[in-house]
Amino acid sequence: MLFIPNIIIAVLALYVAYKIFQAWRSLTDWRLSLYSFGLVMLAASLIIEAVVDIYLNNLLGEAPMRFIRRQEAFFRAVIQLLSLAALVPIAVAVTPSLFYAVLPPVIILVPINALLSLYIAAVTLIKSLERRIPPFISLAFISYAFSLVAPLLSNLDLVARLLTAVFLTLGVIYGSQKAK
């Protein structure tokens, strides 16, 4: 039964990636292009994490727990690297040019990714409040930060990723509606 939220996450993330890729082709500003690239990578990370969660949940009754823990550790590392690849371009895109020299070290992936997510959430929340638009993207990054620090097979991780996909989708839909 837990695979249904993962399917929803994958479908919503696929929709987000598709809509952003459509808009990406017409962007001329490098910051928007970098931000869009990061969002597409974030959607890819959500899709992979949903597939991994389905896979690991299917292994729970069939494989030794030691094997499942090793698989979980491997997949968590891959997801953290993909998350870093998604969050760094977004953080660079939303950061004022004065701070470009400070790039996050790759050594501590989980805290860095979670902090980058919260940083992006804070910056996009301020922008949303200034423009008086709903803070869907900010809420997506807050949810994503929670999913990064939660254990992979936990319900908190699943709910946080689901909220991330829902808020990203709402943000893309709102942006598409506003653009028209």
Side-chain angles (χ1 to χ4, degrees), residues 12 15-16 136-137 164-176:
L12 292 175
Y15 173 79
V16 166
F136 295 130
I137 300 297
T164 302
V166 167
F167 287 132
L168 275 177
T169 303
L170 289 173
V172 168
I173 290 172
Y174 181 80
S176 298

Side-chain angles (χ1 to χ4, degrees), residues 1-8 54 57-58 158:
M1 196 63 167
L2 290 177
F3 73 93
I4 292 174
N6 282 311
I7 298 292
I8 293 170
I54 290 170
N57 277 312
N58 284 337
L158 183 66

Side-chain angles (χ1 to χ4, degrees), residues 23-90:
W24 190 9
R25 293 181 288 174
S26 63
L27 296 176
T28 57
D29 182 38
W30 70 270
R31 282 182 184 239
L32 285 175
S33 294
L34 200 56
Y35 183 77
S36 297
F37 172 75
L39 286 180
V40 168
M41 293 296 290
L42 179 62
S45 175
L46 285 171
I47 292 168
I48 290 171
E49 198 165 355
V51 170
V52 165
D53 196 41
I54 290 170
Y55 169 72
L56 289 176
N57 277 312
N58 284 337
L59 282 180
L60 274 177
E62 301 171 10
M65 200 58 171
R66 189 170 57 178
F67 174 76
I68 293 172
R69 291 291 171 215
R70 286 182 185 159
Q71 292 285 313
E72 180 184 7
F74 169 74
F75 287 128
R76 179 53 75 184
V78 169
I79 291 166
Q80 291 299 327
L81 287 172
L82 190 56
S83 297
L84 183 65
L87 295 174
V88 168
I90 296 171

Side-chain angles (χ1 to χ4, degrees), residues 122-135:
V123 171
T124 56
L125 178 64
I126 291 169
K127 299 281 185 190
S128 296
L129 294 174
E130 287 174 355
R131 296 179 184 147
R132 295 192 170 134
I133 59 173

Side-chain angles (χ1 to χ4, degrees), residues 109-156:
L109 296 177
V110 175
I112 295 278
N113 286 343
L115 288 174
L116 277 174
S117 288
L118 293 174
Y119 168 76
I120 294 166
V123 171
T124 56
L125 178 64
I126 291 169
K127 299 281 185 190
S128 296
L129 294 174
E130 287 174 355
R131 296 179 184 147
R132 295 192 170 134
I133 59 173
F136 295 130
I137 300 297
S138 300
L139 293 173
F141 283 105
I142 290 169
S143 301
Y144 193 62
F146 282 118
S147 81
L148 290 172
V149 296
L152 193 58
L153 290 174
S154 70
N155 288 335
L156 176 63

